[in-house]
Coordinates of all heavy atoms in Angstrom, one line a residue:
A368 N -71.6 -127.2 -127.2 CA -71.4 -125.7 -127.2 C -70.8 -125.2 -125.9 O -69.9 -124.4 -126.0 CB -72.8 -125.0 -127.4
P369 N -71.2 -125.6 -124.7 CA -70.5 -125.1 -123.5 C -69.0 -125.3 -123.5 O -68.2 -124.5 -123.1 CB -71.2 -125.8 -122.4 CG -72.5 -126.1 -122.9 CD -72.3 -126.5 -124.4
Q370 N -68.6 -126.6 -123.9 CA -67.2 -126.9 -123.9 C -66.4 -126.1 -125.0 O -65.3 -125.8 -124.8 CB -67.0 -128.4 -124.1 CG -67.4 -129.3 -122.9 CD -68.9 -129.2 -122.6 OE1 -69.7 -129.5 -123.6 NE2 -69.3 -129.0 -121.4
A371 N -67.1 -125.9 -126.1 CA -66.4 -125.1 -127.1 C -66.2 -123.6 -126.6 O -65.2 -123.0 -126.8 CB -67.3 -125.0 -128.4
A372 N -67.2 -123.1 -125.9 CA -67.1 -121.8 -125.3 C -66.0 -121.7 -124.3 O -65.3 -120.7 -124.3 CB -68.4 -121.4 -124.6
G373 N -65.7 -122.8 -123.6 CA -64.6 -122.9 -122.7 C -63.3 -122.8 -123.3 O -62.3 -122.4 -122.7
K374 N -63.2 -123.1 -124.6 CA -61.9 -122.9 -125.3 C -61.5 -121.4 -125.4 O -60.3 -121.1 -125.5 CB -62.0 -123.4 -126.8 CG -62.1 -124.9 -126.8 CD -60.7 -125.5 -126.5 CE -60.7 -127.1 -126.6 NZ -59.4 -127.6 -126.3
I375 N -62.5 -120.5 -125.4 CA -62.3 -119.1 -125.4 C -61.9 -118.6 -124.0 O -60.9 -117.9 -123.9 CB -63.5 -118.4 -126.0 CG1 -63.8 -118.9 -127.4 CG2 -63.3 -116.8 -126.0 CD1 -65.1 -118.3 -128.0
H376 N -62.7 -119.0 -123.1 CA -62.4 -118.6 -121.7 C -63.3 -119.5 -120.8 O -64.4 -119.8 -121.1 CB -62.8 -117.1 -121.4 CG -62.2 -116.6 -120.2 ND1 -62.7 -116.9 -118.9 CD2 -61.2 -115.7 -120.0 CE1 -62.0 -116.3 -118.0 NE2 -61.0 -115.5 -118.6
T377 N -62.7 -119.9 -119.6 CA -63.5 -120.8 -118.7 C -64.8 -120.1 -118.2 O -65.7 -120.8 -118.0 CB -62.6 -121.1 -117.5 OG1 -62.1 -119.9 -116.9 CG2 -61.4 -122.0 -118.0
D378 N -64.8 -118.8 -118.1 CA -66.0 -118.1 -117.7 C -67.2 -118.4 -118.7 O -68.3 -118.4 -118.3 CB -65.8 -116.6 -117.6 CG -65.0 -116.3 -116.3 OD1 -64.8 -117.2 -115.5 OD2 -64.6 -115.1 -116.2
F379 N -66.8 -118.5 -120.0 CA -67.8 -118.7 -121.0 C -68.5 -120.0 -120.8 O -69.7 -120.2 -121.0 CB -67.2 -118.7 -122.4 CG -66.9 -117.3 -123.0 CD1 -66.5 -116.3 -122.1 CD2 -66.9 -117.0 -124.3 CE1 -66.2 -115.0 -122.6 CE2 -66.6 -115.8 -124.8 CZ -66.3 -114.8 -124.0
E380 N -67.7 -121.0 -120.4 CA -68.3 -122.4 -120.2 C -69.1 -122.4 -118.9 O -70.2 -122.9 -118.8 CB -67.2 -123.4 -120.2 CG -67.7 -124.8 -119.9 CD -66.7 -125.9 -120.0 OE1 -65.5 -125.6 -120.2 OE2 -67.0 -127.1 -119.8
R381 N -68.5 -121.8 -117.9 CA -69.1 -121.8 -116.5 C -70.5 -121.1 -116.5 O -71.4 -121.5 -115.9 CB -68.2 -121.2 -115.5 CG -68.6 -121.2 -114.1 CD -67.4 -121.0 -113.1 NE -66.7 -119.8 -113.5 CZ -66.9 -118.6 -112.9 NH1 -67.9 -118.5 -112.0 NH2 -66.2 -117.5 -113.3
G382 N -70.5 -120.0 -117.3 CA -71.7 -119.2 -117.3 C -72.6 -119.3 -118.5 O -73.4 -118.4 -118.8
F383 N -72.3 -120.4 -119.3 CA -73.0 -120.5 -120.6 C -74.5 -120.4 -120.5 O -75.1 -121.0 -119.7 CB -72.6 -121.9 -121.2 CG -73.3 -122.2 -122.5 CD1 -72.6 -121.8 -123.7 CD2 -74.5 -122.8 -122.6 CE1 -73.2 -122.0 -124.9 CE2 -75.1 -123.1 -123.8 CZ -74.4 -122.7 -125.0
I384 N -75.1 -119.6 -121.4 CA -76.5 -119.5 -121.5 C -77.0 -120.0 -122.9 O -77.8 -121.0 -122.9 CB -77.0 -118.0 -121.4 CG1 -76.6 -117.5 -120.0 CG2 -78.5 -117.9 -121.5 CD1 -76.8 -116.0 -119.8
K385 N -76.6 -119.4 -123.9 CA -77.0 -119.8 -125.3 C -75.8 -119.5 -126.2 O -74.9 -118.8 -125.9 CB -78.2 -119.0 -125.8 CG -79.5 -119.4 -125.0 CD -80.0 -120.7 -125.5 CE -81.4 -121.0 -124.8 NZ -81.9 -122.3 -125.2
A386 N -75.9 -120.2 -127.4 CA -74.9 -119.9 -128.5 C -75.7 -119.5 -129.7 O -76.6 -120.2 -130.2 CB -74.1 -121.1 -128.8
E387 N -75.3 -118.3 -130.2 CA -75.9 -117.8 -131.5 C -75.1 -118.4 -132.6 O -73.9 -118.0 -132.7 CB -76.0 -116.3 -131.5 CG -77.0 -115.7 -132.4 CD -77.2 -114.2 -132.2 OE1 -76.6 -113.7 -131.3 OE2 -78.1 -113.7 -132.9
V388 N -75.6 -119.2 -133.5 CA -74.8 -120.0 -134.4 C -75.3 -119.7 -135.9 O -76.5 -119.8 -136.1 CB -74.9 -121.5 -134.1 CG1 -74.0 -122.2 -135.1 CG2 -74.5 -121.8 -132.7
V389 N -74.4 -119.5 -136.8 CA -74.7 -119.4 -138.2 C -73.6 -120.1 -139.0 O -72.4 -120.0 -138.6 CB -74.9 -117.9 -138.6 CG1 -73.6 -117.1 -138.4 CG2 -75.3 -117.8 -140.1
N390 N -74.0 -120.7 -140.0 CA -73.0 -121.3 -140.9 C -72.1 -120.3 -141.6 O -72.6 -119.2 -142.0 CB -73.7 -122.2 -141.9 CG -72.7 -122.8 -143.0 OD1 -72.5 -122.2 -144.0 ND2 -72.1 -123.9 -142.7
Y391 N -70.8 -120.6 -141.7 CA -69.9 -119.6 -142.3 C -70.3 -119.1 -143.6 O -70.4 -117.9 -143.9 CB -68.5 -120.2 -142.3 CG -67.6 -119.7 -143.5 CD1 -67.0 -118.5 -143.3 CD2 -67.5 -120.4 -144.7 CE1 -66.2 -118.0 -144.4 CE2 -66.7 -119.9 -145.7 CZ -66.1 -118.7 -145.5 OH -65.3 -118.2 -146.6
Q392 N -70.7 -120.0 -144.5 CA -71.1 -119.7 -145.9 C -72.4 -118.8 -145.9 O -72.5 -117.9 -146.7 CB -71.2 -120.9 -146.8 CG -71.3 -120.6 -148.3 CD -70.1 -119.9 -148.8 OE1 -69.0 -120.4 -148.6 NE2 -70.3 -118.7 -149.4
D393 N -73.3 -119.2 -145.0 CA -74.5 -118.4 -144.9 C -74.3 -117.0 -144.5 O -74.8 -116.0 -145.0 CB -75.5 -119.1 -143.9 CG -76.1 -120.3 -144.5 OD1 -76.1 -120.5 -145.7 OD2 -76.6 -121.2 -143.7
L394 N -73.4 -116.8 -143.5 CA -73.0 -115.5 -143.1 C -72.3 -114.7 -144.2 O -72.6 -113.5 -144.4 CB -72.0 -115.6 -141.9 CG -71.5 -114.3 -141.3 CD1 -72.6 -113.3 -140.9 CD2 -70.5 -114.5 -140.2
L395 N -71.4 -115.4 -144.9 CA -70.7 -114.7 -146.0 C -71.7 -114.3 -147.1 O -71.7 -113.2 -147.6 CB -69.7 -115.6 -146.6 CG -68.4 -115.0 -147.2 CD1 -67.7 -114.2 -146.1 CD2 -67.5 -116.0 -147.8
D396 N -72.7 -115.2 -147.4 CA -73.6 -114.9 -148.5 C -74.6 -113.7 -148.2 O -75.0 -113.0 -149.1 CB -74.5 -116.2 -148.8 CG -73.7 -117.3 -149.5 OD1 -72.6 -117.0 -150.0 OD2 -74.1 -118.4 -149.5
N397 N -74.9 -113.6 -146.9 CA -75.8 -112.5 -146.4 C -75.1 -111.2 -146.1 O -75.8 -110.2 -145.9 CB -76.6 -113.0 -145.3 CG -77.7 -114.0 -145.7 OD1 -78.8 -113.6 -146.1 ND2 -77.4 -115.3 -145.6
G398 N -73.8 -111.3 -145.9 CA -73.1 -110.0 -145.8 C -73.0 -109.5 -144.4 O -72.1 -108.6 -144.1
S399 N -73.8 -110.0 -143.4 CA -73.7 -109.5 -142.0 C -74.5 -110.5 -141.2 O -75.4 -111.2 -141.7 CB -74.2 -108.1 -141.9 OG -75.6 -108.1 -142.0
L400 N -74.2 -110.5 -139.9 CA -75.0 -111.3 -138.9 C -76.4 -110.8 -138.8 O -77.3 -111.6 -138.7 CB -74.3 -111.3 -137.6 CG -74.9 -112.2 -136.5 CD1 -74.8 -113.6 -136.9 CD2 -74.1 -112.0 -135.2
A401 N -76.6 -109.4 -138.9 CA -77.9 -108.9 -138.8 C -78.8 -109.3 -140.0 O -80.0 -109.7 -139.8 CB -77.8 -107.3 -138.8
A402 N -78.2 -109.4 -141.2 CA -79.0 -109.8 -142.3 C -79.3 -111.3 -142.2 O -80.4 -111.7 -142.6 CB -78.2 -109.5 -143.6
A403 N -78.4 -112.1 -141.7 CA -78.6 -113.5 -141.5 C -79.7 -113.7 -140.5 O -80.6 -114.6 -140.6 CB -77.4 -114.2 -141.1
R404 N -79.8 -112.9 -139.4 CA -80.8 -113.0 -138.4 C -82.2 -112.7 -139.1 O -83.2 -113.4 -138.8 CB -80.6 -112.0 -137.3 CG -79.5 -112.4 -136.3 CD -79.5 -111.5 -135.1 NE -78.4 -111.7 -134.2 CZ -77.4 -110.8 -134.0 NH1 -77.5 -109.6 -134.7 NH2 -76.4 -111.0 -133.2
E405 N -82.2 -111.7 -139.9 CA -83.5 -111.3 -140.5 C -84.1 -112.4 -141.4 O -85.3 -112.6 -141.5 CB -83.3 -110.0 -141.4 CG -83.1 -108.8 -140.6 CD -82.9 -107.5 -141.5 OE1 -83.0 -107.7 -142.7 OE2 -82.6 -106.5 -141.0
K406 N -83.2 -113.2 -142.0 CA -83.6 -114.3 -142.8 C -83.9 -115.6 -142.0 O -84.4 -116.6 -142.5 CB -82.6 -114.6 -143.9 CG -82.5 -113.6 -145.0 CD -81.7 -114.1 -146.2 CE -81.7 -113.2 -147.3 NZ -81.0 -113.7 -148.5
G407 N -83.7 -115.5 -140.7 CA -84.0 -116.6 -139.8 C -83.1 -117.8 -139.9 O -83.5 -118.9 -139.6
I408 N -81.8 -117.5 -140.4 CA -80.9 -118.7 -140.5 C -79.8 -118.7 -139.4 O -78.8 -119.4 -139.5 CB -80.2 -118.6 -141.9 CG1 -79.5 -117.3 -142.1 CG2 -81.2 -118.9 -143.0 CD1 -78.8 -117.2 -143.5
V409 N -80.0 -117.8 -138.4 CA -79.2 -117.9 -137.2 C -79.9 -118.6 -136.1 O -81.0 -118.2 -135.7 CB -78.8 -116.4 -136.7 CG1 -77.9 -116.5 -135.5 CG2 -78.1 -115.7 -137.9
G410 N -79.2 -119.7 -135.6 CA -79.9 -120.5 -134.6 C -79.5 -120.1 -133.2 O -78.4 -119.6 -133.0
M411 N -80.4 -120.2 -132.3 CA -80.1 -120.0 -130.9 C -80.0 -121.3 -130.2 O -81.0 -122.0 -130.0 CB -81.2 -119.1 -130.2 CG -80.7 -118.5 -128.9 SD -79.3 -117.4 -129.0 CE -80.1 -115.9 -129.6
E412 N -78.8 -121.8 -129.9 CA -78.6 -123.2 -129.5 C -78.3 -123.3 -128.0 O -77.7 -122.4 -127.4 CB -77.5 -123.8 -130.3 CG -77.6 -123.7 -131.8 CD -78.8 -124.5 -132.3 OE1 -79.3 -125.3 -131.5 OE2 -79.1 -124.4 -133.5
G413 N -78.7 -124.4 -127.4 CA -78.4 -124.6 -126.0 C -77.3 -125.5 -125.6 O -76.4 -125.8 -126.5
K414 N -77.3 -126.1 -124.4 CA -76.1 -126.8 -123.9 C -75.9 -128.1 -124.7 O -74.8 -128.7 -124.6 CB -76.3 -127.1 -122.4 CG -76.3 -125.9 -121.6 CD -76.4 -126.2 -120.1 CE -76.3 -125.0 -119.2 NZ -76.4 -125.3 -117.8

C-alpha cells in the first residue's frame, strides 16, 4: 500500500497512515463508498 500511494505522490508514501480499500465491484454494487462502509466491506489497511 505505501508504495502504491507513492505512485500518486511521494508525500502519500512518505506520510502513509492507512489505506481505505474496497473492491471495485463491491463499490459499484453498493452505489457509493458510504453505503459500502455501512455494510462493513471497506477495509482499513496498513503498511
Side-chain angles (χ1 to χ4, degrees):
Q370 288 69 51
K374 288 289 182 180
I375 301 175
H376 197 285
T377 54
D378 285 350
F379 282 33
E380 180 176 1
R381 185 161 54 90
F383 178 89
I384 300 173
K385 291 286 184 182
E387 201 168 2
V388 182
V389 62
N390 174 266
Y391 152 79
Q392 192 60 53
D393 288 340
L394 176 58
L395 211 62
D396 291 344
N397 284 275
S399 71
L400 185 61
R404 284 193 189 109
E405 288 180 7
K406 287 193 175 181
I408 56 176
V409 178
M411 194 65 75
E412 307 292 350
K414 293 182 178 181

